Amino acid sequence: MIDPTQLTDPTVRAFVTAVNAGDRTAFHAVVSPGATMADDGSDRDIDDWTDREIFSSAGHMSVESESDEGRSLVVDFRNDTWGEMRTAWRFTVSDGHVDRFETGQA
């Protein structure tokens, strides 16, 4: 596993750190206003999805690997609803903020 402090991209590092801390304030600080996301290829409402899949269910990202200059991750993601699953995460980043992320089973 890669310690989140060692992730290459500082914006992705802040995203993972916020998720793992359950810190909504830090999460919203790193995500652009109007950011979008997709889960298993379907666009989702980012606020609803992150509340349900991350913050209300103790979501946690254990990073297995990174590529694409740190903007693509393979993660063991777990939460209280679904348990643990191997997932891929891809991030679009600009000006230090996540504009879009896509996740799905890896």
Side-chain angles (χ1 to χ4, degrees), residues 4 12 16 40 43 55-56 64 77 106:
V12 173
V16 172
D40 282 329
D43 280 358
F55 298 112
S56 295
E64 286 185 21
F77 182 78

Side-chain angles (χ1 to χ4, degrees), residues 50-84:
T50 56
D51 181 60
R52 187 172 17 85
E53 299 292 337
I54 296 172
F55 298 112
S56 295
S57 60
H60 189 273
M61 302 172 77
S62 296
V63 180
E64 286 185 21
S65 64
E66 66 175 348
S67 59
D68 190 29
E69 299 178 4
R71 295 194 177 166
S72 294
L73 306 177
V74 174
V75 171
D76 284 335
F77 182 78
R78 70 177 181 276
N79 67 25
D80 292 343
T81 303
W82 304 107
E84 186 169 310

